Amino acid sequence: MIKKTLAQIAQMANGEKLDPQFQNVVIEGVSIDTRTISPGNLYIPIIGETFNGHQFVESAIDNGAAAVLWGSDQPNPPQQIPVIFVKDTLEALQTLSKNYRDELSIKVVGITGSNGKTTTKDMVTAVLSRNLRVQKTEGNFNNHIGLPLTLLRLKEDTEVAVLEMGMSAFGEIEFLTLLARPDVAVITNIGESHMMDLGSREGIAKAKLEIVDGLAKDGLLIYHGDEPLLTERVKAMDIHTTTFGESTKNDLYPLSIKQENEGTYFSINEQENKEFYVPVLGKHNVNNAMAAIEVARHFGLSWDQIESGLQQIKITNMRLELIEGVNGTKLINDAYNASPLSMKAAISLIHDLKTSGKKIVVLGDMLELGDKENEYHEEVGRFIQPDKVDYVFTYGTLGEHIANGAKEQFPEERVSAFQDKVKLIEALRNLLSEGDILLVKGSRGMKLEEVIFAFKK
């Protein structure tokens, strides 16, 4: 993590008015949250819509902060701790992170896409770690605040940083990629998430492709080659590219995919006689694995190292996370987020899994889908196959449209729509028995992991 004198910090963050007696004070690491301050940290108080971090500076000091950035327009700066004044604390955080990144001798992998960003990040990290010192974006630190914090946490001896880049509007990926300056950029796919803000899948593709704005001159773009909205735009770009996807027109494509209850096996065109294994559920995750393979090959890893790395993957929680449930049940927690594309992928997984009991899906609202949100939800309901799923439960106002779509082919008694999570959990409690598999998926705002917690062993 960043370790600098306050004189250096002031220069790198465009700060001023640092008392000369504190110029040689050394800070190690930064924090914007007083609850996670470590001794020696620089505290950066961010101003949000409903909070002002400057109000919590006393807590930061009590928890060990060594210094603080302070907005020049904010009253009552602290007297008992070194202060660097800046015009805007968020801009100072971003500027500091950019200058720190520019000092590091490091390669960067930037990852974006409508679905699969976090899983691909985890896969790339697992594979590259077989041969290189790697750090990755932790949790969901993938926005205009999280990515700068991630950059500032990089160690000086880290060889590769794997950075996730999220967005909800035009210009956001461009901002992140210009901070990070990736040597390799990955676009996992184009879906329907953020349709409300971007207007169309074409708009989403345009926004995701902003990642190339910060790509190194000799950098590589790895993208989903089965997506025409990407391929048509990339043709006009003077950049190095490679593609992955299901069709044989891609540089890397699967020859076989086998879904088992503990993970996924697959083979690819470049290694016809080798079967790869990832301890991750969902055939769609083979695409994410192939993106990780492409990154690994770019960095010179051997096929044996790639195979070993894929086997060691640990996926971030709530992404098709397989959990032991009570009374011999299996729970699949995919409650982190949802879009039509990822919802169908999770349903396809349930279709493929084998069990001695029942298969039950709990599906919640998919948010930020724009004017066609009802249609998208009904389409998901119709996608569920009644001969491969026994019961469909939905939660939320939009979830009712999933139920309506499912009822077009399911007997009515096998489909239930709920607005009350407690009643939903009670209905499941009366239904679940040994051998059953329960999938839970919905957008983050629905907090459907609470259903998982109710039945976790």
Side-chain angles (χ1 to χ4, degrees), residues 170 240 440:
F170 292 115
H240 300 295
V440 176

Side-chain angles (χ1 to χ4, degrees), residues 14 19 35 154 335 341 384 427 432:
N14 292 336
D19 190 322
R35 297 167 296 183
L154 295 176
L341 187 64
I384 308 168
L432 278 171

Side-chain angles (χ1 to χ4, degrees), residues 232-269:
E232 290 303 314
R233 285 171 170 79
V234 170
K235 282 179 185 177
M237 297 179 177
D238 183 22
I239 53 175
H240 300 295
T241 65
T242 188
T243 62
F244 63 89
E246 293 84 359
S247 71
T248 58
K249 69 181 181 181
N250 290 291
D251 297 306
L252 194 63
Y253 55 88
L255 299 176
S256 66
I257 302 176
K258 182 171 60 176
Q259 179 67 69
E260 299 292 347
N261 283 26
E262 76 282 1
T264 311
Y265 297 82
F266 66 98
S267 62
I268 56 176
N269 59 303

Side-chain angles (χ1 to χ4, degrees), residues 141-161:
F141 275 37
N142 63 5
N143 64 6
H144 65 296
I145 297 175
L147 188 137
L149 288 171
T150 299
L151 290 174
L152 291 168
R153 288 172 183 165
L154 295 176
K155 300 175 183 177
E156 290 188 358
D157 65 347
T158 294
E159 294 174 292
V160 182

Side-chain angles (χ1 to χ4, degrees), residues 75 358 389 410 429 442 456:
K358 302 181 292 296
V389 172
F410 277 78
R429 203 180 304 280
K456 189 175 179 179

Side-chain angles (χ1 to χ4, degrees), residues 189-203:
N189 54 37
I190 301 300
E192 297 83 10
S193 299
H194 308 301
M195 193 81 80
M196 186 179 298
D197 298 299
L198 298 173
S200 65
R201 292 186 73 251
E202 288 80 2

Side-chain angles (χ1 to χ4, degrees), residues 135-430:
Q135 281 183 262
K136 67 177 180 178
T137 301
E138 297 296 338
N140 62 344
F141 275 37
N142 63 5
N143 64 6
H144 65 296
I145 297 175
L147 188 137
L149 288 171
T150 299
L151 290 174
L152 291 168
R153 288 172 183 165
L154 295 176
K155 300 175 183 177
E156 290 188 358
D157 65 347
T158 294
E159 294 174 292
V160 182
V162 183
L163 305 179
E164 181 179 334
M165 299 182 186
M167 62 95 209
S168 58
F170 292 115
E172 293 180 354
I173 294 292
E174 178 187 19
F175 178 80
L176 298 177
T177 190
L178 290 174
L179 277 185
R181 295 193 295 107
D183 301 275
V184 178
V186 179
I187 303 178
T188 58
N189 54 37
I190 301 300
E192 297 83 10
S193 299
H194 308 301
M195 193 81 80
M196 186 179 298
D197 298 299
L198 298 173
S200 65
R201 292 186 73 251
E202 288 80 2
I204 295 168
K206 179 181 176 182
K208 297 298 183 184
L209 274 167
E210 290 174 3
I211 197 169
V212 305
D213 293 348
L215 189 62
K217 281 189 176 181
D218 59 347
L220 174 68
L221 172 64
I222 299 170
Y223 69 98
H224 187 211
D226 292 331
E227 175 52 74
L229 292 176
L230 291 176
T231 55
E232 290 303 314
R233 285 171 170 79
V234 170
K235 282 179 185 177
M237 297 179 177
D238 183 22
I239 53 175
H240 300 295
T241 65
T242 188
T243 62
F244 63 89
E246 293 84 359
S247 71
T248 58
K249 69 181 181 181
N250 290 291
D251 297 306
L252 194 63
Y253 55 88
L255 299 176
S256 66
I257 302 176
K258 182 171 60 176
Q259 179 67 69
E260 299 292 347
N261 283 26
E262 76 282 1
T264 311
Y265 297 82
F266 66 98
S267 62
I268 56 176
N269 59 303
E270 289 194 10
Q271 288 283 293
E272 296 182 14
N273 298 320
K274 185 185 288 289
E275 185 174 57
F276 295 93
Y277 168 73
V278 287
V280 182
L281 298 175
K283 289 181 178 178
H284 63 286
N285 275 316
V286 171
N287 271 337
N288 298 328
M290 289 192 296
I293 290 171
E294 295 274 31
V295 174
R297 294 298 289 168
H298 176 77
F299 284 105
L301 271 71
S302 70
W303 286 108
D304 287 342
Q305 289 170 329
I306 291 170
E307 180 181 20
S308 175
L310 289 174
Q311 293 171 359
Q312 305 301 315
I313 290 166
K314 295 193 185 321
I315 297 299
T316 303
N317 292 344
M318 297 199 293
R319 276 88 168 176
L320 290 176
E321 180 184 9
L322 184 61
I323 299 170
E324 291 291 329
V326 296
N327 303 324
T329 58
K330 299 284 188 184
L331 314 176
I332 300 176
N333 183 359
D334 200 22
Y336 185 77
N337 220 332
S339 68
L341 187 64
S342 66
M343 193 76 87
K344 290 176 182 177
I347 293 166
S348 293
L349 166 64
I350 285 291
H351 288 167
D352 291 339
L353 291 181
K354 302 176 182 66
T355 180
S356 59
K358 302 181 292 296
K359 296 181 185 179
I360 305 165
V361 297
V362 176
L363 307 177
D365 292 2
M366 300 178 289
L367 305 177
E368 300 181 18
L369 295 182
D371 295 340
K372 295 184 178 180
E373 60 183 5
N374 293 349
E375 179 183 327
Y376 286 128
H377 283 79
E378 289 171 6
E379 186 179 302
V380 164
R382 287 191 291 270
F383 186 79
I384 308 168
Q385 298 180 27
D387 59 331
K388 295 182 178 179
V389 172
D390 296 286
Y391 291 92
V392 177
F393 286 14
T394 68
Y395 174 67
T397 304
L398 292 170
E400 287 192 20
H401 293 283
I402 298 177
N404 292 338
K407 285 176 182 177
E408 293 181 17
Q409 48 199 354
F410 277 78
E412 192 162 337
E413 64 272 14
R414 288 168 55 190
V415 180
S416 302
F418 292 86
Q419 299 293 331
D420 185 319
K421 204 175 293 178
V422 173
K423 291 181 179 178
L424 166 60
I425 290 171
E426 190 58 35
L428 285 170
R429 203 180 304 280
N430 294 329

